[in-house]
Amino acid sequence: MRILVTGATGFLGQHLVRALVARGDEVTSLHSRRNDLRLPGSLDAWDNTPFDLIFHLAAWTQAGDFCLRHPGEQWIINQQINTKMLTWWQSHQPQAKLISIGTSCAYSPDLPLTEEHYLTGLPIDSLFTYAMTKRMLYTGQLALHRQYGMSYFCVVPSTLYGADYHMDGRQVHFIFDLIRKILRAKFYGEKVVLWGDGHQCREILRVDDFVRATLYLTDHRTNDLVNIGAGEEFSIRHFAHLICSLVGYDENAIVYDTSRYVGAKSKCLDITKLREAYPGFAPSPLAEGLRQTIDWYIAQKETMLPPPE
């Protein structure tokens, strides 16, 4: 198949592109350094190249409190990116199926995290702007399908983890920050300070499992939205316990800073629909996935874990 991927050099993008190439697809990889979707003409070179699938991964965001500090920019930049893609899809690639990546923060914390509530209620205030840009992207897919009969699919991931995470000065998702802090404490004696009291809960899914499920569902579902997660969540303290046991660090030395931002207290996707659509789906065991991610960190120690200055 001929496939275009935006955001191809990001964490998810790297894994998705490798999987597509491995199965024999012809992949066109786009990233913002060469193809800034905010700019006119950024997709002109492919106007007359008919794609079978378009995976739209590109987004302007980071983890932590980034969304709190950049709400206006997030709205403008992500709306520019998504409107550009939707316009180009309708104008030049109407035969292609557009697969977009949603976000679990689009769900209201007051409602079950099931697909029928993706556009219902209000997202958590601290993530409101980014969540609404993702809702708008999905709404655009719905609108173009209704008027022009175009095919779409949207997948909503839980927090993804695994090897080859891009650090490059960004704020990182909690699981990578947790691994990094504990490894630095083990190697260099630095203090481990975690935000919150550690009882907030999170769900994580190995990125390879997400890619596998996304490709399976893309082949079997059309004009739909499906959550892809592990189906269970654990406290930050539990993740810290597992990582400490894997690397040999005393978890009692961890300090919890209850004055810092923690986001939602709990966030676990309902994956009933995923299990029905993909009966064979089974996430990697958590300890196994964490071990692989830790091993990757250690193998990249010189760049990922440089000694303190």
Side-chain angles (χ1 to χ4, degrees):
M1 300 180 77
R2 183 176 287 168
I3 299 173
L4 181 136
V5 180
T6 71
T9 58
F11 175 51
L12 172 57
Q14 294 178 63
H15 288 267
L16 175 62
V17 168
R18 282 200 291 267
L20 293 170
V21 171
R23 74 178 194 178
D25 293 311
E26 179 185 337
V27 181
T28 297
S29 299
L30 305 185
H31 59 85
S32 59
R33 290 189 297 275
R34 291 188 307 186
N35 308 100
D36 188 337
L37 296 183
R38 296 173 298 173
L39 303 177
S42 55
L43 293 170
D44 288 358
W46 297 276
D47 283 356
N48 298 314
T49 303
F51 291 100
D52 300 296
L53 301 175
I54 299 170
F55 286 90
H56 181 39
L57 279 53
W60 194 77
T61 193
Q62 294 182 31
D65 61 356
F66 183 86
C67 294
L68 277 174
R69 295 184 291 108
H70 300 278
E73 292 169 281
Q74 280 209 308
W75 181 261
I76 292 171
I77 293 172
N78 284 301
Q79 290 292 76
Q80 289 173 327
I81 290 170
N82 293 335
T83 299
K84 177 66 177 178
M85 173 51 66
L86 291 171
T87 302
W88 184 72
W89 178 42
Q90 188 272 326
S91 300
H92 298 286
Q93 301 291 334
Q95 78 293 331
K97 182 176 181 178
L98 177 63
I99 300 93
S100 69
I101 306 299
T103 178
S104 59
C105 68
Y107 285 111
S108 167
D110 301 321
L111 296 169
L113 274 60
T114 53
E115 290 84 352
E116 63 267 29
H117 294 301
Y118 191 71
L119 299 178
T120 306
L122 293 178
I124 185 172
D125 183 68
S126 58
L127 301 170
F128 182 83
T129 297
Y130 180 65
M132 292 304 290
T133 65
K134 286 293 191 178
R135 283 189 177 186
M136 291 292 286
L137 172 59
Y138 178 57
T139 300
Q141 290 177 282
L142 291 174
L144 293 177
H145 165 69
R146 288 171 182 170
Q147 183 168 352
Y148 301 107
M150 299 166 69
S151 297
Y152 71 89
F153 186 52
C154 180
V155 288
V156 181
S158 58
T159 297
L160 304 178
Y161 76 102
D164 302 319
Y165 191 71
H166 52 73
M167 308 299 282
D168 59 16
R170 293 167 172 254
Q171 291 186 222
V172 299
H173 283 294
F174 82 92
I175 193 64
F176 297 99
D177 188 53
L178 192 52
I179 293 171
R180 178 176 59 184
K181 286 179 176 177
I182 291 172
L183 285 176
R184 292 193 65 84
K186 177 179 174 62
F187 292 142
Y188 308 123
E190 296 180 357
K191 181 184 291 187
V192 179
V193 179
L194 303 183
W195 292 9
D197 60 12
H199 295 295
Q200 65 271 29
C201 292
R202 294 292 183 269
E203 172 191 23
I204 63 174
L205 181 68
R206 191 170 171 178
V207 64
D208 296 320
D209 295 335
F210 178 77
V211 168
R212 172 167 51 89
T214 297
L215 293 182
Y216 179 90
L217 292 172
T218 296
D219 290 340
H220 292 83
R221 308 286 287 210
T222 299
N223 306 330
D224 204 355
L225 178 146
V226 179
N227 292 335
I228 302 180
E232 58 181 344
E233 63 180 355
F234 300 97
S235 72
I236 300 300
R237 288 178 181 263
H238 181 71
F239 288 117
H241 167 75
L242 286 177
I243 295 166
C244 287
S245 65
L246 287 168
V247 306
Y249 180 76
D250 181 8
E251 64 184 284
N252 295 312
I254 294 174
V255 175
Y256 290 91
D257 184 351
T258 56
S259 70
R260 302 304 296 269
Y261 169 80
V262 297
K265 295 291 186 180
S266 174
K267 188 164 62 174
C268 185
L269 295 173
D270 185 309
I271 61 168
T272 301
K273 192 172 181 179
L274 168 64
R275 289 181 173 133
E276 292 171 351
Y278 186 3
F281 179 71
S284 301
L286 180 58
E288 175 188 309
L290 288 175
R291 165 52 67 191
Q292 182 221 34
T293 308
I294 291 167
D295 288 346
W296 169 75
Y297 256 97
I298 294 173
Q300 308 294 323
K301 184 178 178 182
E302 290 188 7
T303 55
M304 302 297 294
L305 300 162
E309 297 180 358

